[in-house]
């Protein structure tokens, strides 16, 4: 397992143990980066406006279109580090 993958897995665990919940915007960014890192580009159908939460998640994932898995993992790790510093 590469150092990047190890750090990504650690970041996933760290985010679960913050003393304070991240904001909705931060959670959406984490979601989009995680999905891009693990699944690649979003090829799912866009949810309707009546599914607000699903739509916001879809938009977040789609906003990272064409970012490589390694880049998405790196951005995810950096965001988690920022949140750990803010909320610890």
């Amino acid at each position: 397992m590469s150092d990047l993958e190890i750090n990504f897995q650690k970041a996933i665990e760290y985010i679960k143990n913050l003393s304070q919940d991240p904001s909705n915007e931060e959670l959406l960014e984490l979601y989009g980066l995680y999905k891009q890192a693990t699944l690649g580009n979003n090829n799912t159908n866009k949810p309707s406006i009546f599914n607000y939460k699903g739509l916001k998640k879809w938009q977040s994932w789609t906003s990272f279109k064409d970012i490589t898995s390694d880049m998405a993992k790196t951005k995810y790790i950096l965001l988690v580090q920022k949140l750990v510093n803010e909320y610890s």
Side-chain angles (χ1 to χ4, degrees), residues 28 31 47 51-62:
L28 283 169
Y31 174 84
N51 179 0
Y52 183 76
K53 185 175 179 179
L55 179 61
K56 295 305 277 183
K57 290 167 82 172
W58 185 91
Q59 289 171 334
S60 177
W61 182 6
T62 302

Side-chain angles (χ1 to χ4, degrees), residues 5-23:
E5 186 61 34
I6 291 168
N7 289 332
F8 181 62
Q9 293 302 321
K10 285 180 183 178
I12 292 167
E13 290 305 310
Y14 283 140
I15 203 66
K16 296 176 186 175
N17 298 312
L18 291 177
S19 60
Q20 181 180 340
D21 289 337
S23 70

